[in-house]
Amino acid sequence: MKLFIAPGACSFASHVLVHELGLPIEVVTVSLTDPQSLHKQINPFGRVPALLLDDGTVITENTAILPFLADLKPGTPLFAPAGSVERAQIQSWLGYLSSEVHTGSFRPINRPGRYHADVAQHDQVRASGIALLSQALAPIAAHLQTRTWLVGERFTIADAYLGVFLGWIARAPGQPFKDNTLDAYFLRYQQRPAVIAAFEAEAVLLHTDTGANNKTSK
Ligand SMILES: N[C@@H](CCC(=O)N[C@@H](CS)C(=O)NCC(=O)O)C(=O)O
């Protein structure tokens, strides 16, 4: 099995899970800007993360890959049993993060060209994205005021995904969203050995070759 990632991209969530679960998956690092990147040949959407199974099947989107990886280790506390309320809650957060936070808010911030062909309008598009990001994060910050993690007082696949976006905010110029609860949560996230391992693997690849293509790591 191979997991296609790009350093610092949303694929970090799936990369963290490989380390959390100790899965024997080859992590292939690709470039998002190179038209020849391998993931563009296997994923019809041309995006990361993409998971290539041994039989050639490709699974895309963190919302599918994270549950799939967790289910490879039945009973893992990172997910919850089929039919349980907790499982539905975890999936609810995955959907919210993918739609409201990632596509709804970060896409206009990171890729304003997809919303307006006129470069002169891009600052306005980014500003709209930042306003939407604040709206999308406010209920998450409120939810976490009385909790350590998103669901069930334990780190789950939903947290693996949320941490990606808090990392983007932490690295963004001008701090687009500041919240003490989310800061404390992100500190907890960054202290997890699996997060440190995935971060170090991606940082090394980022520094050795920013146009990294088809490099592998564990
Ligand atoms: N919300 C999805 C979206 C996947 C996605 O948009 N990935 C980005 C990286 S963060 C990508 O590959 N972008 C390249 C492009 O849009 O061309 C997920 O989390 O899996």
Side-chain angles (χ1 to χ4, degrees):
M1 214 182 297
K2 290 182 181 177
L3 175 68
F4 292 81
I5 64 148
C10 60
S11 47
F12 187 73
S14 293
H15 193 183
V16 164
L17 215 62
V18 169
H19 287 279
E20 286 281 352
L21 295 168
L23 296 169
I25 291 180
E26 184 183 348
V27 177
V28 182
T29 304
V30 297
S31 161
L32 290 182
T33 51
D34 180 354
Q36 304 304 321
S37 280
L38 260 184
H39 73 291
K40 294 191 178 172
Q41 294 162 35
I42 64 139
N43 178 359
F45 309 124
R47 296 191 172 142
V48 293
L51 185 68
L52 177 63
L53 306 189
D54 293 342
D55 69 359
T57 306
V58 176
I59 300 174
T60 64
E61 304 290 316
N62 274 304
T63 51
I65 295 172
L66 292 169
F68 183 83
L69 294 180
D71 281 341
L72 293 177
K73 293 267 172 133
T76 173
L78 291 165
F79 202 15
S84 68
V85 171
E86 276 194 348
R87 189 168 173 114
Q89 289 172 328
I90 291 166
Q91 288 172 315
S92 168
W93 281 116
L94 294 180
Y96 184 81
L97 292 167
S98 178
S99 57
E100 300 298 324
V101 176
H102 191 190
T103 310
S105 306
F106 272 109
R107 189 151 292 154
I109 297 171
N110 291 336
R111 296 179 183 272
R114 292 202 177 152
Y115 297 80
H116 216 301
D118 181 359
V119 176
Q121 301 299 320
H122 287 185
D123 280 351
Q124 186 54 47
V125 174
R126 282 196 192 91
S128 298
I130 289 169
L132 289 166
L133 181 63
S134 292
Q135 286 170 29
L137 289 178
I140 300 177
H143 178 79
L144 286 170
Q145 264 172 20
T146 54
R147 293 170 177 85
T148 310
W149 303 107
L150 284 170
V151 177
E153 284 307 300
R154 64 183 194 279
F155 184 91
T156 69
I157 56 176
D159 299 292
Y161 199 25
L162 173 57
V164 170
F165 306 115
L166 299 183
W168 289 357
I169 292 169
R171 292 196 295 275
Q175 298 215 316
F177 190 86
K178 190 87 192 98
D179 179 272
N180 290 341
T181 301
L182 292 184
D183 284 351
Y185 173 94
F186 187 52
L187 208 59
R188 290 194 288 281
Y189 180 88
Q190 287 176 289
Q191 286 165 350
R192 294 188 72 80
V195 171
I196 293 168
F199 182 77
E200 285 179 351
E202 295 196 11
V204 167
L205 290 161
L206 196 59
H207 288 127
T208 50
D209 181 359
T210 46
N213 201 1
N214 312 337
K215 292 182 186 302
T216 64
S217 66
K218 288 287 176 189

